[in-house]
């Protein structure tokens, strides 16, 4: 289809319909022309151009046979030959390949152990959610902390009458009750039901710190999106296990130490949180699931040829080529396993929104429903949700985003309860960082540090606020630094550790 967005290509979206050989809607196309008439000569020329002639004799024979089968349509023959060559291990490495002629075996997945299923969902509100308007002081004595909150927050403060009051009398806080944002009605009900817990003033911490030493005590580059998101997802400030994420290490332990069958899913794009050393790589899915591999093949036997091109090799074959083929074949098989499982599973019964948050949670619910077909004991999901960076229009930002969040929580919790799985799922809500207590003059707030976050699920010991909500919100407070930023007193490590134990 040329340079287009057909089948997840990188064109600009003008390629409709997607019909092979039709370049009318493409931005441009790459072309190849040859005067050679003999199939072997054409494939040899392509091999020279694309792999410096390194394609093995067995792989070349497979490509020649497929090329010949498409004749006399030379254009179609050229298209499929090029596709097959770029699927070879020789194209993706500088190695030579010595094929055995046998099929490469896929990696085996451990069978489910029979232990009760569990799923962890990490919801990342990207941009830095203003969580001090999500959890607000309400009834406090002897000090009126809400009045101080209102004075410090000024124009961006939440009216007391708008808040959804929750009981905090058993939480050892400065207030006997707090107020949740009015758009969080479902979350408030879960709190009242004992299925949701708030973590107050939490954030990335290398070690406990204070106003005088927080810069030297903290390894993360503070107040920056990239570094704070990376730190929260990795939770490895001393780099003892580089290139892994917190949930990825938990998944590793479950597979290596307990021999459980574990799968990991990123919604929409990759994440650091699920990176690990063992087991299958995380899937990347969207609201519609995962695209089928080679959804519109140029020949009905094309997938089989691709697998044969990446077949088993001799012991002295190129190691990098072998690694590519191993990953490629395993990915093809895993893709088919997942798409088949989703096709065989009924849609959810709860009503999910069509926004990105709703479709993400709908897909998580559908994937959980396939757990037995996939043969898994544990699932880990990472959901990113953008547009929380409210340097202006904070009120609109929270009203819009929190409505989508609450609707998604409502539909998902309803679906899990219907399926009898609410006790088996836990949702962790995080964000890059909290935001400054002081407004910035543009109707918004700026990057800060400590914030308030939720965890929910049937197994959560909820109905309380864990950690310590700041008791002084002015600049005189022991945790308050410049511009109303708050030093966290609860670390993300303390939040994630119980998940590992669960």
């Amino acid at each position: 289809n040329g340079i287009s967005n057909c089948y997840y290509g990188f064109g600009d979206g003008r390629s409709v319909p997607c019909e092979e050989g039709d370049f009318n809607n493409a931005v441009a196309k790459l072309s190849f022309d040859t005067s050679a008439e003999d199939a072997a000569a054409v494939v040899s020329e392509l091999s020279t151009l694309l792999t410096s002639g390194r394609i093995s004799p067995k792989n070349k024979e497979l490509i020649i046979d497929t090329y010949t089968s498409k004749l006399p349509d030379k254009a179609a023959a050229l298209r499929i030959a090029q596709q097959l060559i770029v699927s070879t291990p020789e194209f993706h490495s500088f190695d030579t390949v010595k094929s055995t002629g046998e099929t490469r075996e896929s990696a085996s997945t451990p069978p489910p152990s029979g232990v009760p299923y569990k799923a962890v969902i990490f919801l990342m509100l990207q941009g830095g959610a203003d969580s001090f308007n999500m959890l607000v002081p309400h009834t406090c004595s002897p000090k009126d902390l809400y009045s101080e909150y209102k004075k410090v927050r000024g124009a961006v403060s939440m009216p007391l009458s708008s808040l959804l009051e929750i009981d905090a009398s058993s939480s050892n806080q400065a207030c006997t009750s707090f107020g949740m944002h009015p758009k969080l009605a479902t979350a408030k009900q879960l709190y009242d039901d004992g299925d949701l817990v708030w973590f107050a003033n939490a954030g990335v911490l290398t070690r406990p710190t204070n106003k005088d030493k927080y810069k030297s005590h903290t390894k993360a580059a503070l107040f920056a999106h990239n570094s704070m998101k990376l730190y929260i997802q990795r939770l490895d400030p001393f780099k003892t296990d580089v290139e892994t994420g917190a949930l990825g290490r938990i998944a590793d332990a479950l597979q290596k130490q307990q021999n459980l069958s574990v799968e990991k899913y990123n919604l929409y794009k990759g994440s650091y949180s699920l990176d690990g050393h063992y087991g299958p790589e995380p899937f990347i899915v969207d609201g519609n699931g995962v695209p089928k591999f080679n959804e519109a093949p140029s020949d009905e036997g094309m997938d089989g040829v691709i697998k044969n091109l990446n077949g088993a090799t001799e012991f002295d074959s190129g190691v990098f080529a072998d690694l590519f083929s191993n990953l490629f074949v395993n990915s093809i098989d895993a893709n088919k396993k997942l798409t088949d499982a989703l096709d065989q599973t009924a849609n959810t019964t709860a009503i999910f929104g069509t926004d990105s948050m709703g479709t993400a949670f709908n897909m998580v619910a559908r994937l959980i429903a396939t757990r037995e077909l996939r043969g898994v004991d544990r699932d880990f999901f990472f959901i990113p949700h953008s547009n929380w960076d409210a340097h202006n229009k904070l009120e609109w930002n929270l009203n819009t985003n929190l409505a989508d969040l609450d609707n998604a929580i409502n539909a998902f919790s309803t679906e899990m309860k219907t399926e009898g799985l609410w006790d088996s799922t836990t949702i962790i809500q995080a964000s890059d960082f909290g935001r400054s207590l002081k407004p910035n003059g543009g109707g918004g707030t700026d990057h800060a540090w400590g914030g308030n976050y939720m965890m929910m699920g049937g197994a959560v010991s909820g109905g309380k606020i864990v950690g310590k909500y700041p008791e002084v919100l002015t600049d005189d407070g022991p945790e308050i630094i410049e511009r109303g930023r708050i030093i966290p007193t609860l670390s993300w490590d303390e939040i994630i550790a119980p998940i590992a134990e669960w």
Side-chain angles (χ1 to χ4, degrees), residues 26 47 70 143 151 193 271 292 302 337 345 380 401 491:
S47 174
K70 304 300 286 187
K143 177 180 178 179
K151 181 178 180 181
D193 293 342
S271 71
K292 292 182 179 181
M302 185 176 178
K337 173 185 171 184
T345 304
F380 291 86
N401 285 325
S491 74

Side-chain angles (χ1 to χ4, degrees), residues 233-234 236 241-246 248-249 252 272-273 275-277:
Q233 293 181 51
R234 292 219 188 279
D236 187 20
D241 201 351
V242 295
E243 302 305 315
T244 64
R249 293 195 296 277
D252 285 350
Y272 302 113
S273 183
D275 291 344
H277 295 304

Side-chain angles (χ1 to χ4, degrees), residues 128-209:
D130 194 312
S131 52
F132 279 92
N133 272 11
M134 294 165 62
L135 184 66
V136 179
H138 193 283
T139 304
C140 317
S141 178
K143 177 180 178 179
D144 185 357
L145 191 57
Y146 174 79
S147 292
E148 186 169 280
Y149 155 89
K150 186 175 182 180
K151 181 178 180 181
V152 171
R153 300 233 81 184
V156 300
S157 64
M158 297 293 298
L160 185 65
S161 60
S162 72
L163 300 173
L164 304 175
E165 187 176 5
I166 57 174
D167 177 42
S169 57
S170 62
S171 298
N172 192 30
Q173 302 292 338
C175 304
T176 56
S177 69
F178 282 78
M180 291 175 60
H181 193 282
K183 295 297 182 180
L184 291 174
T186 300
K188 191 264 187 188
Q189 186 60 55
L190 291 175
Y191 180 95
D192 291 343
D193 293 342
D195 289 347
L196 184 149
V197 61
W198 276 101
F199 296 105
N201 194 23
V204 297
L205 282 172
T206 307
R207 54 168 292 178
T209 190

Side-chain angles (χ1 to χ4, degrees), residues 320-456:
F320 296 110
D322 191 65
L323 175 63
F324 166 78
S325 291
N326 198 49
L327 291 172
F328 189 25
V329 170
N330 286 338
S331 296
I332 293 172
D333 291 341
N335 176 276
K336 186 176 188 307
K337 173 185 171 184
L338 180 57
T339 53
D340 287 350
L342 287 170
D343 287 344
Q344 295 173 43
T345 304
N347 289 329
T348 52
T349 56
I351 301 175
F352 288 83
T354 56
D355 57 280
S356 61
M357 184 85 77
T359 54
F361 270 96
N362 184 38
M363 179 47 58
V364 169
R366 289 187 62 202
L367 287 167
I368 289 175
T370 68
R371 64 197 180 282
E372 294 180 358
L373 291 172
R374 293 182 288 116
V376 295
D377 301 309
R378 300 287 184 270
D379 275 325
F380 291 86
F381 301 96
F382 185 91
I383 301 177
H385 189 265
S386 301
N387 300 321
W388 294 81
D389 194 15
H391 290 285
N392 52 41
K393 298 182 179 179
L394 174 62
E395 180 180 6
W396 174 87
N397 180 283
L398 286 183
N399 283 340
T400 302
N401 285 325
L402 291 179
D404 290 345
L405 170 60
D406 201 67
N407 288 337
I409 292 171
N410 182 42
F412 182 79
S413 60
T414 299
E415 184 72 17
M416 292 300 100
K417 290 172 183 177
T418 300
E419 297 298 321
L421 291 168
W422 182 234
D423 289 348
S424 302
T425 54
T426 296
I427 304 169
I428 312 161
Q429 173 261 311
S431 196
D432 311 17
F433 37 64
R435 302 192 75 85
S436 59
L437 290 176
K438 295 179 179 179
N440 58 18
T445 52
D446 297 323
H447 301 181
W449 195 354
N452 308 305
Y453 305 101
M454 297 178 282
M455 181 186 292
M456 65 200 81

Side-chain angles (χ1 to χ4, degrees), residues 44 60 174 185 197 247 299 360:
S44 291
K60 188 177 289 185
V197 61
L247 296 185
D299 184 83

